[in-house]
Amino acid sequence: MNDLLYKYQSVSTISKTKGINNLVMAHQTEIEEVNNIPCFFWGSLTEPYITAKCWSTIAKVVRSSFGPIPPSLRDPIVSAGAERMRFEGFSSCNGVYVRLDMKPEAIDGEFIASGTTNVDFNEPMLNALNAIQKNEKVTLAVGQHDVQVITTKAKVVEKKVTLPPRWIKGLTSVQLYLADMDKKFELNKIQTIQLFQTLPKGNVKGEFHITKRAGKFMFSTLETPDSVRIGGVHRLRLLEGILPIVDKIYFYESSDKETCAAVCEFGKMQLLMAFSPDAYRGFSGEGKALENMTENLPIEWVYGLNSLLKSNESFDPTMLSIENDIDFGTMENLTASLSSMGLLGYDIENRNHFYRRLPFKTERILSLNPRLKNAKKLIDNEDIQIITKRHNYIEANVKGTGVTHRVILDGENQHCTCDWFTTYQGKRGICKHILGVKMMGE
């Protein structure tokens, strides 16, 4: 992928005037109409100390790596609108996702515009945030509130950052993982402290589980029917900076017990951190999304939703189906496709989607699905031969390199004789052969 040039019109700064800390976050995006917005929000933080600690935790995540990929700067993304803000990002290794949901009570000010954009998290700003004390006052501007701030002396700061395809794909598909999770445990402050006191030291290999014994939560190598699996348990140390101020922690787990998430509750805001199955394995990007991308999404629908919905606004597929006369099954596929394109996020607590458009061009996101492109190529080259097709059952031969693969789709069960399917058994998404047959079948 080509380098993406970050053209911030200034750097994020924090200064102190008459005892009030003034934080101005510089922003940028690939989407021109959003990039031309000078300011998204201007106001004050009602819980500046907690907010600063959460921002510092986000900075730890986006600057960390737990796999072979070295850590590097990845600026967080902020969605502003619907009287709330959400900050989100990924670790460099793509295995840890973090999001801070700031509720309307956490911010007191004016939403001048809505949209999603990158924000500059530089070292001086982060150092100043770490110095914020309790009872201090902080104002926040996402963008330049006053155009007079930009003078002839203002310097355009360019950050040339190589954005790995897997990083962007993770941002698009992690919402599908969150939508598959259910709440398993609720811990109060004391239980949280007790749990983290049992966190193993060092980079521990192997699986660990959160279990509950006699009302007390602990980490254990033994799995029980109601335990929560934590792959790469040492990654939980990213939460240590906010444990002293957290009210509660909720642990969620996916239906296949592969992925999990921790939601830290602070009253006026929540910080979510989701973990891939293992430290060496990031969120599989396109794999989780491919099942729902077999139908091409008309670009007119994307433009229509963009004009209809605002950032952070709840996305209600049932109401949209009724109001726009769209079949419920089509809307289900549409919701998954929009999520895969980064147009939807997922609120794990309220169990609903919200609208947010990632600050990358749509064509950039769509180009990041090689298995989808390869499946379409199989169809275009007429490499797929349907042998049997009846209700909920398809059997087909798919031409490969010097070999013919057999694909069987039997209701929810699907099988392919290729090496990809044999190796991963569907854990990293379906192979291009199954995907191509499903597309032909539909």
Side-chain angles (χ1 to χ4, degrees), residues 178 180-184 251-255 348 351:
L178 296 179
D180 184 44
M181 292 186 183
D182 291 313
K183 186 190 295 184
K184 299 298 292 285
F251 282 97
Y252 290 77
E253 187 177 48
S254 60
S255 58
I348 197 171
R351 304 197 68 81

Side-chain angles (χ1 to χ4, degrees), residues 1 4 6 61-64 69 72-77 88-98 118 161-174 283-285 358-360 368:
M1 172 179 289
L4 180 61
Y6 283 8
V61 173
V62 299
R63 292 167 180 232
S64 67
I69 299 172
S72 57
L73 176 63
R74 309 281 181 230
D75 285 329
I77 291 166
E88 60 183 317
F90 254 108
S91 59
S92 296
C93 62
N94 214 54
V96 182
Y97 168 75
V98 63
N118 285 96
V161 180
T162 301
L163 287 180
R166 57 186 285 156
W167 195 85
I168 300 178
K169 285 193 292 186
L171 278 173
T172 60
S173 69
V174 71
F283 284 95
S284 60
L358 290 177
F360 310 112
L368 300 178

